[in-house]
Structure formats: structure tokens, C-alpha cells
Amino acid sequence: MPTPSMEDYLERIYILIEEKGYARVSDIAEALEVHPSSVTKMVQKLDKSEYLVYERYRGLVLTAKGNKIGKRLVYRHELLEEFMTIIGVDKEHIYQDVEGIEHHLSWDAIDRIGDVVQFFNEKQTRIDGLREVQRKNEETNQS
């Protein structure tokens, strides 16, 4: 299994390839706000672990294993953002909150969160009911 740091790189590489058709070291460094030398070291580590194939000066491509994990990591991130939105977390906090928790949840927990998201999305009245509970709690807390 990849480490949380490896996951961050795989997720970003997957997104870049989906969006642009390729991922360069400089693009990854910019997206993750790290130095290109750090990216090169991690890319070499990911190559050694067979998540991607890296050739110096030629770029990199995800292996089937890397692509599968990258896709799954993007799904996890998007699911957690959707969950945070449903439960009413302010949009300005969602990205940082997801970044803070995504590596600490088991895939079983992610699957259960997926169930909760599906449950709420199936009927708007469920989300409306949650909003009503939140509104009442806000009123109680302000009293």
C-alpha cells in the first residue's frame, strides 16, 4: 500500500493526466507546492513500487496499478467533499478538512460514508431534515 505522501502524488498525477494528457515534474511540483527535486525523488520511489514508469527527460506514465489507485484516490477525495457538503461544512473549509482526514480513514469507512452520501442524495427531504436539525441547533446554541 502506498504511504499518505505517495497517495497525494498518485492522486495529483492521475488528475493531471486526466486533465492534460500528461504530468510533468514541474506540473506536479506546482500542484503540490513542493520543489521539483522532491517530486523527482517521489516519482523514482513510485516507479520502484511499480505505480508508474518514469524515464528521465521523457516524463512518466501510470501503470495499470497506479492508474487504478489514482482513480480510487480521486473518488475518495470527491466522495469526502460531497459528504462534507451534505453535512453542511462551510465550503471554505471543505478542501482542508478532506486533506486532513482522507489518509486516516479505512476503505471500509469510505464505503460507509458512500452509503451515507447515497442515502441523503436519494431523497432531498433527508437533506432538508438535516438542515432543519442544524438550524434548530444553531438557534439553541445562540440562546
Side-chain angles (χ1 to χ4, degrees):
M1 274 317 276
T3 65
S5 181
M6 292 167 91
E7 286 183 348
D8 285 340
Y9 278 84
L10 285 168
E11 181 180 359
R12 180 52 52 194
I13 291 166
Y14 180 86
I15 290 168
L16 285 167
I17 291 172
E18 285 293 303
E19 290 175 352
K20 298 169 74 172
Y22 60 90
R24 296 182 313 216
V25 167
S26 59
D27 298 325
I28 300 164
E30 183 179 333
L32 294 176
E33 298 178 351
V34 296
H35 290 95
S37 59
S38 298
V39 174
T40 299
K41 286 179 189 172
M42 180 57 79
V43 164
Q44 289 169 341
K45 193 181 284 188
L46 292 168
D47 182 33
K48 190 173 184 179
S49 298
E50 299 179 349
Y51 292 110
L52 56 79
V53 176
Y54 173 67
E55 291 184 36
R56 198 169 171 183
Y57 306 119
R58 289 184 160 226
L60 58 95
V61 291
L62 290 170
T63 61
K65 173 181 166 182
N67 195 63
K68 180 180 177 184
I69 290 177
K71 186 175 186 173
R72 194 167 183 207
L73 295 171
V74 169
Y75 163 78
R76 176 181 71 185
H77 189 98
E78 290 172 350
L79 176 69
L80 290 171
E81 283 188 354
E82 186 175 3
F83 176 70
M84 295 287 183
T85 300
I86 287 171
I87 64 172
V89 175
D90 287 334
K91 289 194 185 311
E92 65 189 51
H93 299 123
I94 290 176
Y95 182 81
Q96 279 305 113
D97 287 347
V98 169
E99 286 295 309
I101 66 169
E102 66 184 341
H103 301 294
H104 302 286
L105 297 172
S106 68
W107 285 102
D108 183 46
I110 295 298
D111 289 342
R112 299 301 65 83
I113 289 169
D115 296 341
V116 171
V117 167
Q118 180 181 348
F119 175 79
F120 278 99
N121 283 337
E122 284 176 351
K123 291 188 182 174
Q124 181 61 39
T125 55
R126 293 171 179 163
I127 294 175
D128 296 341
L130 177 61
R131 293 293 174 264
E132 183 60 21
V133 167
Q134 291 169 333
R135 186 188 61 72
K136 286 178 183 176
N137 286 340
E138 296 258 332
E139 287 175 3
T140 302
N141 291 336
Q142 292 176 0
S143 300

